[in-house]
Amino acid sequence: MPLSTTLQVRFNECDGLGHVNNAVYYTYMETARIELFQMLDPEMDLKDWKLIVASTSCEYKAQASFAQWLKVTTEVERIGKSSFTVLHRISNLQTDEEIAVGRAVMVHYSYHEQKSLPLTPEMRRALQSIALPQ
């Protein structure tokens, strides 16, 4: 079952064309990942942070505008040895129209050792709980 986050578009997120600026969608996806981060590391201690972003992308399907309510769903699309791909779908909360689809490849990472680490069994269980059916 996907995680779900609702957000309202703020005035400062819109550009001169009157719609949400393309870079802001990455912030929406990052905000939606907070619940996932809590599942993987309940302490969320920045001195012992365990994840790094390896790649992000976003496909824009429709425009969002000021004061509009958005829903961001978060699911895991792929689980690898030390990384996983998160799928975000951003839609209009009222109409369910798809506005954007984004992905982030996250890596279990040791900042102290500056290298990736295998996902732990606990992390795998948490990721599988929101994984897309295979």
Side-chain angles (χ1 to χ4, degrees):
M1 178 126 155
L3 303 175
S4 183
T5 303
T6 56
L7 306 162
Q8 187 174 31
V9 175
R10 296 176 296 186
F11 181 79
N12 71 315
E13 296 167 340
C14 299
D15 60 22
L17 299 173
H19 60 237
V20 172
N21 180 274
N22 63 68
V24 174
Y25 290 93
Y26 289 92
T27 302
Y28 294 162
M29 291 183 284
E30 179 184 46
T31 300
R33 284 195 295 271
I34 292 172
E35 192 174 348
L36 173 61
F37 293 159
Q38 290 171 323
M39 289 172 61
L40 296 173
D41 184 11
E43 289 87 42
M44 293 194 38
D45 180 0
L46 292 179
K47 293 180 179 126
D48 187 30
W49 197 248
K50 296 170 175 57
L51 298 169
I52 192 168
V53 175
S55 171
T56 58
S57 66
C58 187
E59 297 174 45
Y60 308 98
K61 309 286 188 174
Q63 298 178 51
S65 56
F66 172 63
Q68 185 175 3
W69 281 96
L70 305 175
K71 176 175 71 171
V72 185
T73 59
T74 302
E75 298 173 281
V76 173
E77 189 173 53
R78 181 196 65 80
I79 303 172
K81 180 181 174 190
S82 61
S83 66
F84 56 97
T85 303
V86 179
L87 174 68
H88 297 288
R89 295 183 193 278
I90 301 172
S91 60
N92 180 319
L93 184 63
Q94 281 79 29
T95 67
D96 213 30
E97 175 189 22
E98 190 170 75
I99 293 172
V101 177
R103 287 176 175 77
V105 176
M106 306 293 302
V107 178
H108 183 210
Y109 191 77
S110 168
Y111 286 88
H112 176 71
E113 298 176 49
Q114 292 290 297
K115 68 176 190 175
S116 64
L117 301 171
L119 294 167
T120 66
E122 295 80 18
M123 289 175 140
R124 286 185 175 284
R125 278 193 293 279
L127 294 170
Q128 288 166 346
S129 74
I130 59 166
L132 289 166
Q134 296 298 323

